[in-house]
Each structure stands twice: as structure tokens, then as C-alpha cells.
């Protein structure tokens, strides 16, 4: 297939390009890093890029939590307007396969079970609780301590920040395109992706990148909250292979199918910081008690659907991935 990869010069996109090429496809990079005119919000440029294309792998996005709602317009412009321009151009060009870089942030908090009330959805965490170091959500009915679990794709969406809202809107736009054109759309809901070429020292870098940069400066990684917040750290090469699997899977016309894309092995942020520090040989992490209001406490994936439907399996283990990431020059 001839595949247009938006954001193909970025962290995840560049690995997708390599994986596509290794699988015998012809990836075409569309990225403002390589060409300032290659903006997904530019209808004429997108239309030209789609000429002769069989499928699109849409990785271009503004990522991270950003600055509260102050940069909401920029997020909506880059993520949602850009996706709208892209799918409109795909409809015109009769390109009928789309793989979207989705995100686990659409869920908000993860899956929780109360001993008395079963599966419950806690509300947003209160500033007073966070200031007091009470980081764990409680049952909205009885206040009991909750047990975190794996979240499945059928969980209701509950975006808790601007970035999350734009990622959910991208899925709705892709679904509307699929229904309107009979196209095939897949959203890969990435969990915490890390690995080579990860951006660093920006508001949009991932926590693993911030920790590694601190170690490179000879400083201890600073772990927010109490370090026990659970995430699913998945290696970027495994994410790239998931994109190839989604593109090569039998088409499901007229619908968008969402797949959690994670390692399936929940780890705490504190565990990740210690693994990275040990691999780097740097200072041990320090737990600060600080927090970001837009963060959620626990969010980990059930990726069983992706494994069953597409035959995808993550290949890079946590310890191996952290050792490799520690060796990469920031």
C-alpha cells in the first residue's frame, strides 16, 4: 500500500514510517518538520499529498496536557480542525482506509471497583484532597477505597482535559467520515508510549522523557503525587507495529473500531522512575507530592481486543525497553 503518514517525522510517526517500509509498504511523510507547508489544516496541501494514496496513518497532533484551557484553541485547531480537513480531503480523493493515533486519555480515570458497589466511576479529583496528599479516588456512593483495574474499549468516554477532549473529537470525526464514505477507520488508543526519538524538555514530553533528561543532568527524577499512580508503558516500536497490523487488517467498512494499544502490564510511575534510574546509573528518584490537576490517578489498558482481532503482540519488555531508553542520548 501507498500510505500517507501525517506527522511522519515525529516521535511515533517516524517509527511508523520505518515499520511500514519494513513490511513492504510505501510510506509518504507529511510533516511540518520537513515542509512548513505540510500542515493538515491546509486543504490544498493535503489534497495534493493524497494523490495516488491507498491509506492514511494520521499521527499528526498537538500532544500533552498543555496549559489548562489557555491553549484550547490551538489544540482544537491542530487536532480537530486538522482531522476535519484531512477526512474531507480523503472523501474527495476516495481514500478509504484510515488509522488514527488515538489515546487512552479519552477514558479519563480508569476502571475502578468498590467492594460494596461494584464497578464505579469516580468524579474529578478535588484540589483539597490533592493538596492534602489524598491521591486515590474514592467510591462516589460510599467513600470506600477503590481497586483499580484494566479499562476496556467499551468504557464510557470521560475526557478530563482539553487534549483529551480533542482526541475524542478526532474519533468522532473519523467515525463520521467512515459512515459517510463507507471507509474503514481504526483508532489505536495509545497508552504511555516511550522509546527512541521521544521529545524532551517541552510541555508535551512524556514523563519518561522528563525523568531521563533529569538523569542526564545528574539530577534525581522528580516523581509527582506518591509515585503509585498506575500507567501502561508501551514501547514505540510495538506501537508502530500495531499501526501496520491495523492497516493490513481486513477492512470493516462504514465504522470506526477502537483498540487499546498498551503492553498489558501495569506499572507505577515510581517503578518506571526507579527502573530508568537503575538502568542509567543515576540518582534515585524523589517523590515530591506535587500534582497536575488535569492528570488522572490510574489508567491502564486491556489490549486483549487488539491481540485477538489483529494478532498483534508487544515485543519489547519493560526492563529491556527502559534499559534501551536509558542508553539513548536525550
Amino acid at each position: 500500500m501507498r500510505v500517507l503518514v501525517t506527522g511522519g517525522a515525529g516521535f511515533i510517526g517516524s517509527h511508523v514510517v520505518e515499520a511500514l517500509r519494513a513490511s513492504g509498504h510505501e510510506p509518504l511523510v507529511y510533516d511540518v518538520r520537513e515542509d512548513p507547508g505540510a500542515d493538515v489544516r491546509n486543504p490544498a496541501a493535503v489534497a495534493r499529498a493524497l494523490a495516488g494514496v491507498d491509506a492514511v496513518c494520521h499521527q499528526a497532533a498537538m500532544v500533552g496536557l498543555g496549559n489548562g484551557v489557555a491553549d484550547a484553541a490551538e489544540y482544537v485547531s491542530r487536532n480537530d480542525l486538522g482531522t476535519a480537513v484531512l477526512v474531507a480531503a480523503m472523501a474527495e480523493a476516495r481514500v478509504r482506509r484510515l488509522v488514527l493515533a488515538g489515546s487512552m486519555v479519552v477514558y479519563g480515570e480508569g476502571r475502578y471497583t468498590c467492594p460494596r458497589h461494584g464497578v464505579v466511576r469516580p468524579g474529578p479529583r478535588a484540589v483539597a484532597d490533592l493538596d492534602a496528599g489524598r491521591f486515590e479516588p474514592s467510591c462516589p456512593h460510599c467513600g470506600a477505597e477503590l481497586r483499580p483495574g484494566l479499562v476496556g474499549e467499551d468504557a464510557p468516554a470521560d475526557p478530563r482535559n482539553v487534549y483529551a477532549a480533542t482526541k475524542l473529537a478526532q474519533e468522532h470525526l473519523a467515525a463520521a467520515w467512515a459512515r459517510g464514505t463507507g471507509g474503514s477507520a481504526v483508532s489505536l488508543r495509545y497508552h504511555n508510549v516511550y522509546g527512541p526519538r521521544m521529545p524532551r524538555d517541552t510541555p508535551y514530553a512524556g514523563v519518561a522523557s522528563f525523568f531521563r533528561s533529569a538523569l542526564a543532568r545528574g539530577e534525581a527524577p522528580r516523581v509527582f503525587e506518591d509515585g503509585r499512580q498506575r500507567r501502561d508503558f508501551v514501547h514505540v516500536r510495538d506501537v508502530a507495529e500495531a499501526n501496520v497490523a491495523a492497516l493490513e487488517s481486513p477492512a470493516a467498512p462504514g465504522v470506526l473500531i477502537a483498540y487499546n494499544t498498551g503492553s498489558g502490564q501495569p506499572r507505577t510511575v515510581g517503578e518506571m522512575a526507579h527502573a530508568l534510574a537503575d538502568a542509567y546509573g543515576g540518582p534515585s528518584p524523589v517523590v515530591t507530592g506535587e500534582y497536575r490537576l488535569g492528570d488522572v490517578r490510574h489508567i491502564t489498558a486491556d489490549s486483549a481486543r487488539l491481540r485477538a482481532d489483529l494478532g498483534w503482540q508487544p515485543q519489547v519488555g519493560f526492563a529491556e525497553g527502559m534499559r534501551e531508553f536509558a542508553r539513548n542520548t536525550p
Side-chain angles (χ1 to χ4, degrees), residues 228-316:
R228 297 192 181 100
Q229 56 271 48
R230 287 157 48 107
R231 296 293 187 269
D232 186 321
F233 299 99
V234 59
H235 197 277
V236 67
R237 287 197 298 274
D238 287 330
V239 167
E241 291 298 336
N243 277 268
V244 175
L247 283 166
E248 294 179 344
S249 66
V255 297
L256 177 138
I257 301 175
Y259 291 109
N260 287 332
T261 307
S263 71
Q265 298 178 336
R267 303 278 182 172
T268 68
V269 173
E271 282 182 290
M272 187 270 287
H274 279 283
L276 196 55
D278 289 346
Y280 195 88
S284 296
V286 294
V287 176
T288 69
E290 297 172 86
Y291 64 86
R292 295 192 302 182
L293 188 58
D295 277 344
V296 298
R297 178 60 174 175
H298 304 295
I299 177 67
T300 53
D302 181 351
S303 298
R305 179 187 291 179
L306 179 60
R307 297 170 191 238
D309 287 5
L310 305 187
W312 172 85
Q313 292 282 347
Q315 300 298 314
V316 183

Side-chain angles (χ1 to χ4, degrees), residues 102-302:
S103 175
M104 55 83 180
V105 296
V106 301
Y107 299 119
E109 285 286 353
R111 185 179 190 273
Y112 293 90
T113 304
C114 171
R116 289 181 56 193
H117 296 97
V119 176
V120 297
R121 292 189 62 78
R125 296 190 291 171
V127 170
D129 286 337
L130 297 172
D131 285 342
R134 295 188 295 268
F135 301 118
E136 293 289 348
S138 58
C139 177
H141 306 296
C142 67
E145 183 176 340
L146 299 176
R147 178 182 298 173
L150 300 181
V151 61
E153 291 90 348
D154 57 350
D158 184 18
R160 299 285 177 97
N161 55 60
V162 168
Y163 170 63
T166 65
K167 295 306 289 184
L168 182 59
Q170 282 186 308
E171 288 194 354
H172 289 321
L173 289 164
W177 164 82
R179 286 192 298 270
T181 64
S184 167
V186 170
S187 178
L188 296 174
R189 291 175 175 170
Y190 301 159
H191 280 245
N192 290 72
V193 186
Y194 73 96
R197 301 174 213 148
M198 192 174 189
R200 65 184 182 95
D201 302 334
T202 77
Y204 314 112
V207 65
S209 183
F210 279 119
F211 290 168
R212 188 186 61 180
S213 292
L215 290 165
R217 296 190 301 268
E219 301 171 1
R222 295 174 60 81
V223 180
F224 279 15
E225 301 188 15
D226 58 4
R228 297 192 181 100
Q229 56 271 48
R230 287 157 48 107
R231 296 293 187 269
D232 186 321
F233 299 99
V234 59
H235 197 277
V236 67
R237 287 197 298 274
D238 287 330
V239 167
E241 291 298 336
N243 277 268
V244 175
L247 283 166
E248 294 179 344
S249 66
V255 297
L256 177 138
I257 301 175
Y259 291 109
N260 287 332
T261 307
S263 71
Q265 298 178 336
R267 303 278 182 172
T268 68
V269 173
E271 282 182 290
M272 187 270 287
H274 279 283
L276 196 55
D278 289 346
Y280 195 88
S284 296
V286 294
V287 176
T288 69
E290 297 172 86
Y291 64 86
R292 295 192 302 182
L293 188 58
D295 277 344
V296 298
R297 178 60 174 175
H298 304 295
I299 177 67
T300 53
D302 181 351

